[in-house]
Every structure is written in structure tokens, then in C-alpha cells.
Amino acid sequence: MKQRLTRHWAAVPLVAALAIDGGAAMAQTATGKGGAASGPIGVPAGYSLVWSEEFDKAGLPDESRWSYDTGMNRQGWHNREKQYYAGPRAENAVVKDGRLVITARKEALTSQPDWGGQQYTSTRLITRGKAEWTYGYFEIRAKLPCGQGTWPAIWMLGSQGDWPAAGELDILEHMGRKPDWVFSTVHTSSGHGGHGVGEGRKLATACDEFHDYQMLWTPREIRFGIDGQVHAAYPNLGRGTAQWPFDKPQFLILNLAIGGDLGGEIDDGIFPIGYEIEYVRVYQAER
């Protein structure tokens, strides 16, 4: 069965401290229940760089590293999103000045054979089949778009199975309608959509400055941070794959969605609007 490269959001707020395993247990973290946690985060001792994308070659994204995910264009993307994800097209994704710029536009690509009536374009880049990892320290430096209706993300999906059973790791999500709030969430069979486990934090300069979005994934737990400070964690409780499917490879996704369950109402006056990524770096324990 073809893997579904997306997820459905339940119509409830996405907040921390949501129950998993049918409400019978709560994820225990550094600060107690839910997804909240604190402390430092950085490249652990004994880890080395195994993959990086520095965006130092101008032009279209490097197709030896990235693929374009366009599979749901005709029928429309889940979560009631409004964008059409384009293939190779500099108007929507280009590397320049040492950065990847994903640009959302108010336009309808009616001549495309997979056009599904969308009035907005954007890009969704994935490493599936090109680079996948099990465990590691991930750091992505980015500056987010701020506009009513934007929904940028840095996230990962399991490459061996369907959602949510194969797991999802949201290193970063952001809503333009809440410009000073960023959040991270874990989705599994035991807690997904609006019942994912995670936490967010205020970041006043999310749309004005570059920040380091970080994740440390080990067999014991997953920790999320920004600029060296943890804000969320998810432990392996030893309850099987429904709670911890994270011992198999995951691939990385960079995308800018428009509208939908989290993006919300769209202000057409914001377009074109860009999402900038300076680098992606992956470190793993030396063997």
C-alpha cells in the first residue's frame, strides 16, 4: 500500500499535555506530564556529521537530495489545505544567496495536468528514498513566513508504513496567524492529530530572524529545542509500536502549506511570501 505522506488533524486544539494510549497514561518528560520539557540541547559528544545541505549551489533544489511531493494535488491535500505543490519551479523553490527559499504565491496553475482547482502555489520537498535516518541529532536553521494563512513546517515521516502507525516527528510548525508561537509534536497510533504529544513556546522573532530548530532522537526519547533550549520531549515508555514506532527510518520534509486546519483563514494580501532555510544538518553517534 502506498504510504500517505500527510496527516489528518482532529478538530480540537493542538496543545501539550494531551493523553495517549486512550487516556490511560500520560507521557512522562523532564517536567512531568504532557510534552513540556526544558534543559539544553546540542550536538552530543561522540556524534559526527553524516548528512548536510548547506544550500550553497544556486538554482533549483538539488534533486540528488530532494524530491518534490505533488501526489495529492488533483484530489486536494489533507487538513483542508489550499495550496498546489509545484514540481521543479523557481517561482516556488529556489536556492539563492546561500539559502533555500520556498515561496507561496496567489496563482492558479490551470495548465498543469494534476491541478485540482487550487488558487495558491507552494512547494513540499522530501528526502524520501534519498536520505533517511534512524536516530540522530537534527538541526535546521530557518526564518519563517508571517502572514494570515501560512503554515510552514519542518518534519519527518516513517518510510516503512502508513500514517500514523509509522510515526511523525514535527520538529517545527508555525501558524502565521500566531506569529510569536512555534511548536513541536509527536504523532503515533496512540496519539495523533489533535491528540499528538508535544509543546510550543513563544518566539518573538520567528519571522524576523533565523533560528536553529533542533531535535535529538535516541532509542530512549526524543527532545525538541530552539537555539539550544529544549521545550518538548517524548519518551519511549516501552509499550510497543503504538506508542513508540521510532526505531525505523524517517525522512525529512520541508514545506509551506496555505490555509487548512492550522493555517486558517487566508489573507490574499500577503502573497508572494517566502520561507527561508539556511541549512539542514544531521549528526549521528559514531560507531
Side-chain angles (χ1 to χ4, degrees):
M1 182 181 294
K2 184 177 179 181
Q3 184 193 34
R4 184 188 309 152
L5 301 185
T6 188
R7 72 282 205 202
H8 296 284
W9 290 101
V12 298
L14 192 151
V15 297
L18 288 174
I20 61 173
D21 293 333
M26 301 290 286
Q28 298 298 312
T29 70
T31 56
K33 296 179 179 180
S38 62
I41 188 171
V43 181
Y47 278 53
S48 60
L49 187 69
V50 297
W51 191 92
S52 72
E53 171 63 279
E54 303 296 329
F55 300 115
D56 50 8
K57 182 180 178 181
L60 293 174
D62 183 350
E63 292 197 31
S64 71
R65 295 171 175 267
W66 304 97
S67 298
Y68 296 85
D69 189 4
T70 62
M72 296 290 294
N73 279 335
R74 178 172 290 280
Q75 61 266 55
W77 292 87
H78 293 302
N79 314 310
R80 300 186 293 178
E81 298 164 23
K82 305 301 183 184
Q83 76 286 330
Y84 172 95
Y85 281 131
R89 186 173 185 257
E91 291 88 345
N92 293 117
V94 68
V95 176
K96 61 181 181 180
D97 301 323
R99 299 167 182 170
L100 168 67
V101 182
I102 296 176
T103 303
R105 299 179 180 274
K106 176 73 170 72
E107 60 181 348
L109 299 185
T110 58
S111 63
Q112 295 299 313
D114 63 344
W115 183 65
Q118 297 93 341
Q119 302 301 307
Y120 307 92
T121 64
S122 186
T123 292
R124 174 161 153 154
L125 296 173
I126 65 176
T127 66
R128 188 180 190 189
K130 301 176 185 289
E132 301 172 1
W133 306 272
T134 305
Y135 313 129
Y137 174 82
F138 300 77
E139 183 170 286
I140 300 91
R141 186 165 178 82
K143 183 168 70 172
L144 309 181
C146 267
Q148 178 72 39
T150 58
W151 180 3
I154 302 165
W155 52 300
M156 302 183 75
L157 281 176
S159 60
Q160 300 178 7
D162 292 324
W163 187 91
E168 174 182 334
L169 301 171
D170 296 337
I171 300 171
L172 159 82
E173 289 189 276
H174 177 266
M175 300 172 287
R177 58 193 171 91
K178 296 183 69 176
D180 63 349
W181 183 256
V182 294
F183 55 98
S184 305
T185 314
V186 174
H187 300 272
T188 65
S189 294
S190 61
H192 55 271
H195 297 284
V197 176
E199 181 60 284
R201 55 160 282 191
K202 283 197 170 185
L203 189 63
T205 58
C207 304
D208 303 313
E209 300 176 5
F210 283 86
H211 292 275
D212 297 332
Y213 298 96
Q214 300 151 321
M215 179 180 72
L216 177 58
W217 169 19
T218 73
R220 184 173 62 87
E221 69 172 355
I222 299 162
R223 300 178 73 82
F224 301 95
I226 301 171
D227 296 335
Q229 292 297 314
V230 170
H231 61 273
Y234 182 85
N236 181 353
L237 299 178
R239 296 178 178 171
T241 57
Q243 187 269 329
W244 184 268
F246 302 113
D247 56 0
K248 295 179 181 178
Q250 297 234 340
F251 60 92
L252 184 70
I253 306 170
L254 303 174
N255 72 290
L256 173 52
I258 299 299
D261 294 343
L262 287 188
E265 185 178 348
I266 303 167
D267 175 6
D268 286 348
I270 67 173
F271 299 101
I273 191 165
Y275 172 23
E276 299 182 52
I277 299 96
E278 196 167 274
Y279 63 73
V280 179
R281 295 173 184 167
V282 182
Y283 302 79
Q284 289 185 318
E286 298 173 357
R287 297 179 179 177

